[in-house]
Amino acid sequence: MYVTAAINCVKEAGFDGVEIHGANGYVIDQFLKDCSNPRIDSYGGSHENRARFLREVVAAVTNAIGGDPVGIRFAPLNSFMAQKDSNPVALSEHVANAMNDFELTYVHVICNDFDDVQKGVVVPIFCEHYNGTLVVNGGYTKEEAEETISTGKVDAVAFGVPFIANPDLVKRFELDARLNTPDPPSFYSGGARGYNDYPLME
């Protein structure tokens, strides 16, 4: 599934790259976190075992299309879809080190919990243990992003919600313009509202 999607995107559709979704309660995240992985075989228990599926997916995708067009996203603290881990710091350290075995374009880390259930600090763990390009995400303002990047500890800050509400976000940032107010109930709702009706700057 992952390999087919990656090949279709990069080799067939001409995408510049793909991001493997290892976050937010989806299948890789379910293997990684001990709350959802009660397995007693080689895919459960230790960090090494719980990360086995992750490694297999990353290896398969990079073998198919190379590492240059591949990034991956993690959310060690995010409890979305009832996901939690008893030791997200140790999990972050293991995952960060594991990704050093692959020549990925970047690792993308959500630094907080959408539902504000799990507390902790994981970005410094990735800064310390991951040797490649590090992208972070999680409610940053423009000013916070600039300050974070200026420290030299991360390479980029990604924006999600601000881009949904502001299709011209880059231009607004350039001009320090006011941002549109997001409408979370319309996110991913399946209807037309909230997709292309946020106003552009005049």
Side-chain angles (χ1 to χ4, degrees):
M1 174 179 66
Y2 290 95
V3 171
T4 300
I7 290 173
N8 287 345
C9 287
V10 173
K11 294 189 175 181
E12 300 297 329
F15 286 18
D16 294 319
V18 295
E19 181 177 86
I20 298 171
H21 199 338
N24 301 348
Y26 293 94
V27 65
I28 291 175
D29 201 35
Q30 290 174 24
F31 272 92
L32 290 174
K33 291 181 177 173
D34 54 16
C35 79
S36 55
N37 185 350
R39 299 174 71 119
I40 57 174
D41 59 9
S42 61
Y43 289 88
S46 67
H47 287 123
E48 180 179 0
N49 284 355
R50 283 185 274 140
R52 190 179 306 276
F53 181 69
L54 162 67
R55 283 178 155 287
E56 291 176 350
V57 169
V58 176
V61 171
T62 55
N63 286 340
I65 64 171
D68 283 347
V70 180
I72 188 165
R73 191 182 206 202
F74 297 111
L77 290 173
N78 196 5
S79 62
F80 183 66
M81 293 176 61
Q83 292 298 296
K84 289 191 293 184
D85 190 81
S86 60
N87 193 340
V89 170
L91 176 62
S92 296
E93 181 176 338
H94 184 87
V95 167
N97 282 309
M99 293 302 96
N100 287 326
D101 294 339
F102 304 93
E103 295 183 358
L104 301 173
T105 291
Y106 64 84
V107 164
H108 178 184
V109 180
I110 300 174
C111 65
N112 56 4
D113 181 0
F114 291 170
D115 297 323
D116 203 28
V117 174
Q118 285 204 289
K119 307 292 185 180
V121 180
V122 295
V123 170
I125 304 301
F126 281 88
C127 291
E128 179 181 354
H129 294 279
Y130 179 61
N131 299 328
T133 299
L134 182 62
V135 181
V136 297
N137 173 273
Y140 288 84
T141 64
K142 174 196 171 186
E143 293 73 24
E144 289 169 340
E146 290 174 338
E147 181 180 354
T148 299
I149 294 169
S150 72
T151 66
K153 294 180 179 179
V154 306
D155 298 285
V157 173
F159 292 89
V161 169
F163 255 123
I164 293 174
N166 299 273
D168 52 356
L169 182 67
V170 174
K171 179 59 67 175
R172 288 175 188 256
F173 277 174
E174 288 176 350
L175 300 176
D176 287 322
R178 185 180 63 83
L179 301 183
N180 292 325
T181 301
D183 179 28
S186 68
F187 293 175
Y188 325 119
S189 62
R193 184 169 67 93
Y195 279 89
N196 61 3
D197 52 1
Y198 285 103
L200 298 170
M201 287 190 301
E202 295 182 0

